[in-house]
Amino acid sequence: MIAYKTLAHRNDMFRIKQGITFFFGTLFSLNVHATNELMLQMETSISSSANPFRYYDGQTDGTQIIPHHTDTVEGADIRAGVIIPVLSDETRLMLTGSLGGRRYINDTTLNHLQGGANADFQWVASKLLSGRINAGAGQHLFNYINGSLSEKDIEHDKNAGFDVNIKVTDSWWLMPKLFYNQLYYDLPVNKLYDYTQNGRQLGLRYMSPTGSSIEGGMRFSTTNYTDRSLDQIQNIYDVPYKNSVIKPEYDTQFKETELYLDGEWQYSVKTTTSAHVGMVRRRYNTYSNLDTNLSNAIIRGTYRYTPQLRFDAQIYDQPFPIVDPTILYVVSKGIRLDALWLYSDKLQFNASAVIQNSSQVYIPGIANLTGNGSQVDRMKRVGVGASYQIDRGFRLVADSYFERNRGDVATLNVNQSVIKIGFEYTYENLPGSAGRMNLQRYQDYLSSSPAIAR
């Protein structure tokens, strides 16, 4: 078994290296001219990670309490990107990629490779027609929820999309969209959560001369749990549904229809607000008693107090598609605050705070069996960070977060913290290329709260 895992790991590494070699070979063999943008970034870091498996407070292995050890993690990453104008500056291809390694000093089973690659083609056919085609893939360490899983697992994700913007009048735009998402894991125990999602969206947007906008439309999607076998489904549902016949399609697919309204208001040069409000209708294939109606709302605000000081706030109420097989859905409600202070041309500070309640609503059979309809997880998270520009392209980074989760019962409490120090070198042939390529999505920004999707 050990030899098999080692061979599989080597094969994975070989495939990843092949892909990265092809990416960088293509990137640097391009015929570069003045309007092309090139970016290369290298980072090395060391982190102190407390409770990496996120064990519950007081969790035992059957004989004694499991200690929450702190591990030292060494990291190294290389990231690169290129923006290539095609025919014009408005029609362009952007290629970005990242490859990194993490080495745990104590628990070496968590050593892993992470990274990804993305291609984004933005096109303009005329003043009336434009669009975007994008595709990407990546992998990173499984985001452990609690210490019930203490093996290394890697999450793999893929996505693709096709957007079209059709100008109907000077103020009105028709915006159809197709999208695809996939998530899967290496370990068999997590295969229950492998899923694919595909969908389409149609929106109509009004753009005002001041820059504000409002959009309404419909979004349709189908989510399939691709690797749930009939035996696994029966093991999960035989207790609450022991007198019923379990069908293979049971809880392996649901469809969603969302009616949504988006808006953005440019109140002033300093203040911008935006909102997404949607009503989601979720329907299952087999049992109508699992059908659910959910809300999906996000309100965002940005205030630029001075050119050096910026504040961001978000309030959200969102459902999630990936749930435990015994859970009907998860809804998270919370508030998130972020601040960025550019103290000088070289030194900047940032901080974030999140307060979130996540309700896990059980399927009816489990709820009737246990007498509990739901379980609430209450999370508080604070992050602080700073960076210092040593010289052009050279940056020293300090990053950290501290998180506390409290469940309905004390045995579900979890605490975790990570402190990181890193050194980064960035080469750009044009200033600001790293920002325009959104390289942040490949980086571990601990002091910034996790991104909230629309």
Side-chain angles (χ1 to χ4, degrees):
M1 178 62 74
I2 294 175
Y4 171 77
K5 288 184 177 180
T6 303
L7 179 60
H9 178 67
R10 287 177 178 172
N11 288 337
D12 288 342
M13 291 180 64
F14 178 72
R15 285 193 293 269
I16 291 172
K17 289 178 179 178
Q18 274 189 321
I20 295 297
T21 301
F22 174 77
F23 172 78
F24 285 113
T26 303
L27 176 63
F28 292 111
S29 64
L30 293 169
N31 183 17
V32 180
H33 55 82
T35 56
N36 283 357
E37 294 188 48
L38 288 173
M39 190 285 311
L40 177 65
Q41 190 174 76
M42 292 176 285
E43 179 185 345
T44 181
S45 64
I46 187 167
S47 305
S48 175
S49 177
N51 194 17
F53 283 113
R54 296 175 64 86
Y55 289 112
Y56 291 136
D57 293 349
Q59 185 171 343
T60 69
D61 59 5
T63 59
Q64 60 182 357
I65 294 177
I66 300 174
H68 298 181
H69 70 274
T70 297
D71 211 333
T72 300
V73 187
E74 297 175 345
D77 298 87
I78 181 169
R79 297 177 278 269
V82 60
I83 298 177
I84 311 166
V86 181
L87 301 179
S88 69
D89 289 337
E90 290 77 21
T91 298
R92 58 185 192 170
L93 174 64
M94 180 166 64
L95 302 173
T96 58
S98 173
L99 176 64
R102 296 295 180 269
R103 177 174 173 265
Y104 287 71
I105 301 302
N106 296 323
D107 196 341
T108 57
T109 60
L110 285 175
N111 294 350
H112 65 278
L113 291 174
Q114 64 181 39
N118 290 270
D120 192 326
F121 180 60
Q122 301 173 14
W123 56 272
V124 177
S126 68
K127 293 181 179 180
L128 303 179
L129 187 64
S130 60
R132 175 174 175 253
I133 304 171
N134 67 284
Q139 68 174 46
H140 57 89
L141 187 66
F142 174 68
N143 185 23
Y144 293 95
I145 301 171
N146 58 63
S148 60
L149 178 63
S150 55
E151 296 180 72
K152 182 182 72 175
D153 199 5
I154 301 295
E155 298 182 15
H156 304 265
D157 61 88
K158 297 180 180 179
N159 63 82
F162 177 64
D163 304 11
V164 178
N165 306 317
I166 305 170
K167 188 175 183 180
V168 182
T169 69
D170 288 341
S171 300
W172 290 93
W173 292 79
L174 190 64
M175 310 181 74
K177 176 181 180 180
L178 300 174
F179 58 90
Y180 172 84
N181 297 295
Q182 181 183 10
L183 181 71
Y184 62 96
Y185 300 87
D186 286 346
L187 285 182
V189 69
N190 276 334
K191 288 296 181 182
L192 285 166
Y193 312 112
D194 291 358
Y195 83 95
T196 62
Q197 181 188 63
N198 59 78
R200 59 199 185 277
Q201 178 176 308
L202 180 63
L204 182 64
R205 177 178 295 179
Y206 170 76
M207 299 284 294
S208 77
T210 61
S212 300
S213 66
I214 187 168
E215 178 186 334
M218 297 187 70
R219 182 176 184 268
F220 308 91
S221 66
T222 300
T223 300
N224 286 285
Y225 294 101
T226 53
D227 294 312
R228 290 186 182 178
S229 67
L230 178 58
D231 289 340
Q232 289 173 323
I233 295 168
Q234 288 177 327
N235 288 336
I236 295 166
Y237 295 106
D238 266 352
V239 174
Y241 294 104
K242 60 184 177 181
N243 296 321
S244 65
V245 176
I246 307 298
K247 299 180 181 180
E249 66 269 25
Y250 183 79
D251 195 34
T252 60
Q253 181 188 98
F254 62 79
K255 296 182 178 181
E256 287 187 341
T257 302
E258 180 181 8
L259 292 173
Y260 72 87
L261 188 66
D262 281 347
E264 184 171 318
W265 182 27
Q266 297 284 350
Y267 177 75
S268 69
V269 293
K270 288 187 175 183
T271 306
T272 303
T273 59
S274 64
H276 172 88
V277 179
M279 297 301 297
V280 180
R281 179 177 179 266
R282 182 179 292 183
R283 296 295 180 263
Y284 286 80
N285 276 345
T286 308
Y287 289 92
S288 60
N289 64 330
L290 298 182
D291 294 347
T292 271
N293 295 319
L294 301 165
S295 61
N296 181 21
I298 309 170
I299 300 173
R300 295 183 173 99
T302 298
Y303 178 58
R304 298 169 181 85
Y305 181 72
T306 67
Q308 291 76 36
L309 185 58
R310 168 177 168 160
F311 297 98
D312 292 270
Q314 299 189 37
I315 301 173
Y316 55 93
D317 178 358
Q318 286 192 299
F320 289 89
I322 309 172
V323 295
D324 185 278
T326 61
I327 294 174
L328 183 56
Y329 60 86
V330 177
V331 172
S332 290
K333 301 179 180 181
I335 182 171
R336 162 182 164 177
L337 303 172
D338 289 272
L340 175 63
W341 181 26
L342 303 177
Y343 179 79
S344 69
D345 292 340
K346 291 181 175 291
L347 181 61
Q348 72 176 43
F349 301 93
N350 62 281
S352 70
V354 180
I355 300 176
Q356 174 179 288
N357 288 352
S358 296
S359 299
Q360 303 174 6
V361 179
Y362 296 120
I363 63 171
I366 294 294
N368 294 335
L369 185 69
T370 63
N372 295 318
S374 65
Q375 176 182 298
V376 179
D377 177 73
R378 301 168 181 85
M379 185 265 284
K380 294 181 180 179
R381 174 185 170 122
V382 175
V384 292
S387 67
Y388 180 73
Q389 195 82 18
I390 301 171
D391 200 352
R392 182 179 178 180
F394 294 92
R395 194 166 71 115
L396 187 64
V397 179
D399 215 2
S400 66
Y401 79 85
F402 308 87
E403 185 176 310
R404 186 180 73 173
N405 286 265
R406 295 294 178 263
D408 285 340
V409 293
T411 54
L412 301 180
N413 296 342
V414 177
N415 295 289
Q416 189 181 33
S417 63
V418 178
I419 300 174
K420 169 186 168 183
I421 297 176
F423 179 75
E424 182 183 275
Y425 169 72
T426 302
Y427 166 78
E428 300 170 313
N429 71 329
L430 293 176
S433 293
R436 285 188 288 273
M437 296 180 196
N438 190 24
L439 264 292
Q440 182 174 345
R441 67 184 182 275
Y442 297 120
Q443 296 172 278
D444 299 324
Y445 275 96
L446 308 175
S447 52
S448 295
S449 317
I452 300 171
R454 180 174 81 72

